[in-house]
Amino acid sequence: FFFFLGGSGMALKGGPPPPPSFQKTMTGFYNILSNVSVAVALLSIILYIAVHQFAGLQHTTCFGGTFGLFGDVTVAAKPFIEYQLQRDVAYLFGMNRMLFEVETNYQHIQVYAHRYFGHVLVIDGSLQITERDEVNYHEMTAHVPMNYIPDAKKVLVIGGGDAGALLRLLEHKNVEAAHLVDIDMFAMRDMVASYFPYLHAAYMDPRTRAFAYDGRQWVDEQLEVASNRNSYEVVVLDSTDYGAAESLFTEAFYEQLKRLMAKRSILIANVDSPSWNQETVIAVQLQLSLIFKYVFILHSNQPTFLSGHYSYVFCSDEIHPMKTPIDWAKWEEKNINTFYYNSDVHHASFILPEFVRKSLSQGAQLRDLPKDPFTHKKFAQEPPQDQLDALRESVEEDDEDESLAREE
């Protein structure tokens, strides 16, 4: 604008050209503004690099989040996008910053900070756990099998280097030996120690032995020692997305793994979304039905997994998930604090939506439960009469107060 008025030397339409003094003044203003513009641009670039590289922000977008370095100041953050290629769907998380990244010999590990979900673990572009809801997944993989074998002494986790499943298994004090096998165990253990320290406690438990091994190779080597055979009562197969760790999803591997398991034992493994990847769920059940007598799918709510609907497979030769009674009194005596899991969720998790159930070779039904699945002190005893009378009086008083409030 200033250049047009003063620097161009062009006459205004219908009038004389500006005087030389005016042109000189405007040209000076223009030169000053040009220099200031260049300085501002350079300063902007320097600040951009400083904030986004040294402070850890990834990219400027329209997605904001509270960035701890600046207290309550809201700054832009790069979205993490996870794709579900089969269904042409993507989940987008507005991450605050990347906390950690490493490319190991086996996988690409990233840890992000998110305003709502806390620390978020991503492996090979797939979200694995968040601080907010990992507990849903890990409580189901641990407490479901452990409640059928409440005195189990030897447990095994294959995969699961984040130690979430291991931590929940160790909450059962009857466990004497807990073994974890993860091909990238050292990298996972160090990452967890820094960004998920409450999970790292499982690695520090004296009952834990962790192995940096390929799961298939480890199982084969363990079978060479006679005392290892038929010894594990609960086995949790906690891998990345089904199919990613190919050696862990073959019939030969499952048959070898079964040889490590006790006669009365349970294998539980993560599968996939029964809503979006029903074909995978069906295939897994069919495959494992060739090896185990009872193979049932159970499901849970996992909000940060694609579709929010996730499933696991329960395998055993002696334990039917509905017909086999559970000693819920023992569970109560253990006094384990849970966030997601309880006795009602336990049985309900095996009841599947009709569109899933009708496609499976084995499906649980509530009618298969024992007559009174909750026969123990917490459920069987009626409350004392004086407590019932006090409760009745309290309800009547509330009704009177409500009536008075309506009249007023």
Side-chain angles (χ1 to χ4, degrees):
F1 176 71
F2 280 104
F3 178 76
F4 173 76
L5 286 179
S8 66
M10 295 177 64
L12 296 175
K13 186 176 181 180
S21 59
F22 180 77
Q23 292 186 39
K24 185 176 180 181
T25 302
M26 291 298 100
T27 301
F29 283 149
Y30 169 74
N31 290 334
I32 292 171
L33 288 172
S34 297
N35 292 333
V36 170
S37 298
V38 171
V40 169
L42 290 173
L43 182 61
S44 298
I45 294 172
I46 293 170
L47 287 173
Y48 181 92
I49 293 172
V51 171
H52 288 74
Q53 298 300 320
F54 296 107
L57 294 181
Q58 300 304 303
H59 191 64
T60 302
T61 73
C62 59
F63 300 95
T66 301
F67 181 46
L69 186 63
F70 301 116
D72 293 330
V73 177
T74 298
V75 296
K78 179 180 180 179
F80 162 73
I81 303 174
E82 181 175 5
Y83 297 95
Q84 218 285 0
L85 297 178
Q86 296 106 312
R87 302 292 177 256
D88 294 326
V89 173
Y91 267 24
L92 185 149
F93 296 82
M95 302 298 187
N96 288 53
R97 58 186 300 208
M98 183 185 289
L99 300 172
F100 174 79
E101 183 174 25
V102 65
E103 186 86 39
T104 73
N105 292 332
Y106 306 102
Q107 56 197 354
H108 182 204
I109 303 172
Q110 298 168 300
V111 179
Y112 292 93
H114 189 278
R115 179 174 54 181
Y116 181 73
F117 294 111
H119 290 174
V120 178
L121 171 63
V122 175
I123 294 180
D124 292 335
S126 177
L127 188 148
Q128 301 298 308
I129 63 170
T130 77
E131 283 185 299
R132 177 165 286 272
D133 68 358
E134 58 81 19
V135 65
N136 301 19
Y137 173 91
H138 290 131
E139 285 185 356
M140 292 298 290
T141 58
H143 298 322
V144 167
M146 288 298 293
N147 272 322
Y148 292 102
I149 313 173
D151 297 318
K153 291 181 170 45
K154 193 173 181 183
V155 300
L156 171 64
V157 179
I158 297 180
D162 56 54
L166 180 65
L167 181 70
R168 273 69 190 201
L169 288 168
L170 290 167
E171 290 178 335
H172 297 259
K173 301 307 179 187
N174 47 280
V175 172
E176 296 177 358
H179 295 164
L180 181 144
V181 183
D182 190 294
I183 195 169
D184 213 3
M185 187 272 292
F186 292 118
M188 292 294 290
R189 184 185 62 187
D190 293 345
M191 177 277 299
V192 168
S194 297
Y195 302 104
F196 300 88
Y198 69 100
L199 296 179
H200 185 258
Y203 277 108
M204 306 305 293
D205 192 294
R207 296 170 291 170
T208 295
R209 289 186 64 193
F211 303 86
Y213 244 92
D214 173 76
R216 170 67 183 271
Q217 183 182 352
W218 186 88
V219 168
D220 290 343
E221 291 185 12
Q222 294 303 301
L223 287 171
E224 294 174 4
V225 180
S227 60
N228 291 332
R229 299 169 200 157
N230 308 119
S231 62
Y232 291 96
E233 295 155 285
V234 170
V235 176
V236 176
L237 186 55
D238 182 12
S239 73
T240 51
D241 286 349
Y242 191 87
E246 292 182 6
S247 67
L248 300 184
F249 302 115
T250 64
E251 288 178 31
F253 170 73
Y254 290 130
E255 288 170 351
Q256 290 289 84
L257 183 59
K258 186 179 179 181
R259 293 177 60 200
L260 280 181
M261 297 169 61
K263 184 179 180 183
R264 181 178 170 81
S265 60
I266 295 171
L267 164 68
I268 191 164
N270 61 306
V271 184
D272 211 326
S273 167
S275 294
W276 288 5
N277 293 322
Q278 189 177 344
E279 301 87 351
T280 300
V281 175
I282 295 169
V284 170
Q285 190 194 46
L286 287 173
Q287 181 186 39
L288 287 165
S289 294
L290 301 174
I291 300 165
F292 295 92
K293 181 178 179 180
Y294 300 120
V295 180
F296 285 81
I297 299 296
L298 62 153
H299 62 147
S300 70
N301 173 36
Q302 196 62 33
T304 51
F305 283 8
L306 290 171
S307 87
H309 187 200
Y310 202 71
S311 67
Y312 321 82
V313 62
F314 173 105
C315 308
S316 181
D317 277 342
E318 293 203 355
I319 298 170
H320 187 291
M322 304 302 272
K323 295 179 181 179
T324 301
I326 294 175
D327 188 343
W328 289 111
K330 279 194 173 182
W331 165 250
E332 296 295 334
E333 288 168 6
K334 289 181 178 182
N335 197 29
I336 297 174
N337 291 321
T338 61
F339 176 81
Y340 183 87
Y341 176 87
N342 59 39
S343 56
D344 293 318
V345 166
H346 178 108
H347 292 299
S349 67
F350 287 94
I351 306 304
L352 303 170
E354 180 62 15
F355 74 92
V356 179
R357 188 199 63 80
K358 68 183 181 182
S359 303
L360 300 174
S361 58
Q362 297 185 67
Q365 301 177 86
L366 286 176
R367 68 173 69 101
D368 291 333
L369 284 172
K371 263 191 174 179
D372 187 356
F374 304 115
T375 304
H376 64 84
K377 60 182 180 181
K378 181 176 180 181
F379 296 95
Q381 291 180 357
E382 289 292 332
Q385 188 61 41
D386 59 340
Q387 290 185 17
L388 288 173
D389 293 339
L391 179 61
R392 194 173 292 112
E393 290 175 7
S394 174
V395 171
E396 290 172 355
E397 288 175 3
D398 289 343
D399 289 343
E400 290 177 8
D401 292 341
E402 189 176 344
S403 298
L404 289 171
R406 281 205 198 95
E407 290 175 7
E408 291 175 1

